[in-house]
Every structure is written in structure tokens, then in C-alpha cells.
Amino acid sequence: MDGNLSRGVPPGGPDTAGTQPGAGSRPAGTPKAVGIVWALLGLNTLGSAGAKTIVPLPRSLIQMVTMGALAAAFALALALNLRLRIRASAFVFLLTLLLVPSLISSANLEVGFGALFRCARLALFVGTLWLLSRWWDGSLTFVRHHIRMYFAVLGSVAAGLVISPGTALPEYYGGRLVGALWPLTPPQIGQYAAVITGLTVLLVLGRRVDRASAVVVIVPSLVLLALTHTRTATLGLLLGLALAIGSLILTSSAARRFFTWAVLCATAAAVVFSSALQAWFLRGQSKENFSNLTGRAKVWDALLAAPRTTSEYLFGTGLGDKSFGGLPIDNSWLAVYNEQGLIGVALVAAFLIVLGGVALLRPPSLSRACAIFLISYVAISSYTEAGLGDASPYLLHLALAASLLAAPAAATPLTKATPLTTPAVPRQRIPRWARNREVT
């Protein structure tokens, strides 16, 4: 799969209008070890809490592995970029500013010393992104790293399902798929499956991967997504792909064909399988429970009604476990409001708006379409999932979008100090006997 994912098409192909030069292959200046750094960042964001595994893993051991992965990622990125060359990035800059309310609120120790530990983790995460920004040039290099990384994670989920189906489909999660080898929750698995499915579909439309390799990624991912019964990931995949493919319609005939067939198939499926689809989305819940978003609305109302000081309104209560009253918040905006205050909410909104605005201003291209898909998916998921205010897969998705929207490094422009000159023509030597002779 890795070899096929590196294949491109010659410039000027019929379905690649608007793609950036060099977008189909790894730039010559990008070390292969950058992919290892990206994978280590992904390992850090897998988390330490989740389902019961086949072999019980102590939470302290999992935390040691995830934090060790982050430390290794920063060290390796620093070794690759010893001269500390970075590229200007509004996204990473705003993410750096998010550390300010995080540190101010966490210094109060209202939620314990764990808040300062989470601040240090976020700082290390952001620092690694700054070091990697040197190789952000709008190419698809990091897209392939992203797909391979999460495909490996889904491979471990599939292996756990084969080894112990009962553990992978437990009753306490309503028979939804969980990680049996590594503690992953259904929303996590659904998120990874949806993201790599969407990115692979876009690579196929841009002819950056052959269909056989795409099937190897897409089909198992969709099966695992269906087994998780994750509604947010499914809607994020469908709406994100619709927006991304819509951005390619004017420049890609493949995108137009795919969009047409997708609409026809979706309409037919909605008519024929309406009852089955409704049952899948309800997951056996009552309509009242579904309207309350599985109890999330009650937690949100309690959080908003809780009294707060002026400092807590502005800076929050400090980085925590994204819960309120012992229950998960499951909303990125309210989680940021609770932990980093209104200033944190403004910064998160700012980097989403900046990324979205830059994506809209870029000319149509495959890189732009992938960025639109990621930004849309994260924005949709933020309503029922937390993670935009701390080191998480969602921030990694947005970092990938920022790398796709970065302009390629321009050549040094010519100025008056460096005028164009023609090379000197060497003077031809004339023999002495031929000098001063008249031609008769």
C-alpha cells in the first residue's frame, strides 16, 4: 500500500486541474523520519482511558507510553531541525497563544497538579508542530503519513475483533466496537475510520493512488465505522466529503462523476433502507434520549448554569479531563469554555476561521479539498466531541490541514542588486601567422 500511495500522475492530466506542482510526491527536502514524528504524535493522542482490553493494561503504563511518544517526537523533530527553521503559521501561532489562558487557569491548581502536567504536554505538542512546520509546503506528504498512521491503529482494532469478538463488542457499550488490544472507545475508532476514508477517496479522485490500494483502505475502514455506530463520525464523513468534492467540481471531471453517482446512490439507499438506517442511527434509544444527545444536553445545561468568578469566565478552571460533575462534557466549545474560559473559546474560533478562510481563498486543488474535508469534519465533530483545547487527534487533523494550505516555498526573487547577466563568451585565440594579413 505504501508504494501505491506514492504514485502520482503526470502534470496536466485531465482530472488534476488546479493541483499544485509536486503535490503527488514527497518533496526532496523532507526526511523520511518526519513520518515517524507524525506517527509518535498520533500515538500520544490515542489517550489512556477507554474500553477493557484482552490483556489488562495499567493506566500508568499507557500514560508512560503516550507521554514517552510525545517526548520522542519532540526530540526527533528537534534532531531533524537543529537550526530551528520554522515557517510562519497562523494556526500554530494561535495554538501557542492558547497556552496563555491554559497556564493562567491551571496555575490556580483548582483541578490539581494534573492541570500543569497537561499544560506541559500541550506545550510540547505545539513545539513539535513548530519544528515540523519547516516541511509544510502544500504537498500531500503528511496526508500519506496520516493515512498510514491511523490505518495501523485500525489494524490493531481489527486484530482485536478477530482474536476476541466478545471483548471487542462489549455489552456495556451496547455492542459497539471498541479497541480490544489498546483501550479505544467507539467514537475514537469511528473518527479514525472516517478521516482516512475521506482522505483516501479524495486521493483516488485526484489520481494520487490506484483503486486497488484505495479499496484496501476504504472497505475495512467503512466496516469498522459501521460497527462503532458512531453518528458524529458518519455525518462528518458525509458532509465533509460533500464540501471537499464540491470544491473540485469545476476543475475535475472525476469529482463531478463521483458526486453525481454518490447523490443517486444516497437517494436510492435512503428510500430502500430507510428503516434500517433509522434503526442504526437510533442505536436502540428512545426518541427523547436521542433528542437529548444521549444525556449530553443535561451536562451542558448544568455547566452553563454553574456560578463562576470573573477569572473563571475569562481563563477557565484549568486543563482537566474534559468532564463536569464527573460526567463527560462531549462538546469542544463548552470544554474549552470550562477549562480555558472565553479567551480560549475566542482563540479556538479564531484558528478555525483562519483555516477556513485560507481554504476558501486558495485556488481549487487536491490539497485544498483535503484541507476543506478535515476542517469541516473537525467543525462538525466539535459539537459532540471534546478536544479542540488540548493535544488531541482533532488538533492533529487541523495541523494537517494547515500543512496542506501552506504555500510552496518560493524561489529567491531577483532584485536590482542581483541583475541578470549573460555569461562571458571566451575570446577566440588567433594564430600569429594569421594576424595583419590581407585577404586576397
Side-chain angles (χ1 to χ4, degrees), residues 134-366:
R134 172 184 178 180
W135 296 284
W136 292 0
D137 57 358
S139 71
L140 299 173
T141 303
F142 286 90
V143 172
R144 293 188 172 87
H145 294 328
H146 214 63
I147 293 174
R148 291 164 185 161
M149 171 182 66
Y150 284 127
F151 188 74
V153 174
L154 294 180
S156 71
V157 174
L161 177 61
V162 172
I163 295 172
S164 179
T167 306
L169 300 169
E171 289 297 330
Y172 59 85
Y173 265 113
R176 300 170 65 190
L177 180 64
V178 300
L181 298 180
W182 186 274
L184 298 173
T185 62
Q188 284 180 285
I189 300 171
Q191 175 195 165
Y192 306 150
V195 167
I196 69 171
T197 297
L199 291 175
T200 306
V201 167
L202 293 173
L203 290 182
V204 172
L205 293 180
R207 295 189 177 182
R208 293 300 189 271
V209 60
D210 61 82
R211 294 183 180 180
S213 298
V215 168
V216 172
V217 175
I218 294 173
V219 173
S221 300
L222 288 178
V223 172
L224 296 180
L225 174 60
L227 290 175
T228 62
H229 282 227
T230 307
R231 296 173 292 218
T232 301
T234 304
L235 290 175
L237 171 63
L238 297 176
L239 296 178
L241 268 182
L243 293 174
I245 295 173
S247 71
L248 291 173
I249 283 181
L250 296 179
T251 59
S252 171
S253 59
R256 290 191 291 270
R257 289 194 300 269
F258 182 88
F259 188 82
T260 302
W261 280 106
V263 171
L264 293 175
C265 292
T267 304
V271 174
V272 177
F273 304 106
S274 59
S275 58
L277 291 174
Q278 183 179 5
W280 187 87
F281 267 92
L282 286 177
R283 294 197 310 236
Q285 300 172 344
S286 64
K287 292 185 178 180
E288 180 181 358
N289 197 15
F290 179 77
S291 62
N292 287 329
L293 298 174
T294 322
R296 290 184 177 95
K298 297 179 181 179
V299 180
W300 299 347
D301 293 339
L303 188 153
L304 293 174
R308 289 176 176 269
T309 64
T310 303
S311 175
E312 289 174 342
Y313 269 118
L314 294 176
F315 302 107
T317 60
L319 292 183
D321 58 358
K322 313 297 177 289
S323 66
F324 182 80
L327 297 174
I329 297 175
D330 286 340
N331 180 288
S332 285
W333 302 100
L334 291 179
V336 171
Y337 168 71
N338 183 52
E339 297 182 354
Q340 291 140 312
L342 292 176
I343 294 178
V345 172
L347 289 172
V348 170
F351 64 62
L352 277 175
I353 292 173
V354 166
L355 286 174
V358 172
L360 292 176
L361 294 175
R362 287 281 186 269
S365 69
L366 182 57

Side-chain angles (χ1 to χ4, degrees), residues 68-110:
L70 180 58
F74 180 80
L76 182 55
L78 185 61
L80 295 172
N81 192 3
L82 285 175
R83 296 186 179 182
L84 302 181
R85 294 178 178 176
I86 61 175
R87 292 199 63 177
S89 172
F91 166 72
V92 186
F93 174 72
L94 291 170
L95 201 56
T96 306
L97 290 182
L98 189 62
L99 284 168
V100 176
S102 303
L103 285 170
I104 292 176
S105 58
S106 299
N108 295 328
L109 299 179
E110 185 174 337

Side-chain angles (χ1 to χ4, degrees), residues 122 276 297 302:
L122 180 59

Side-chain angles (χ1 to χ4, degrees), residues 8-19:
V9 293
D15 295 316
T16 57
T19 54

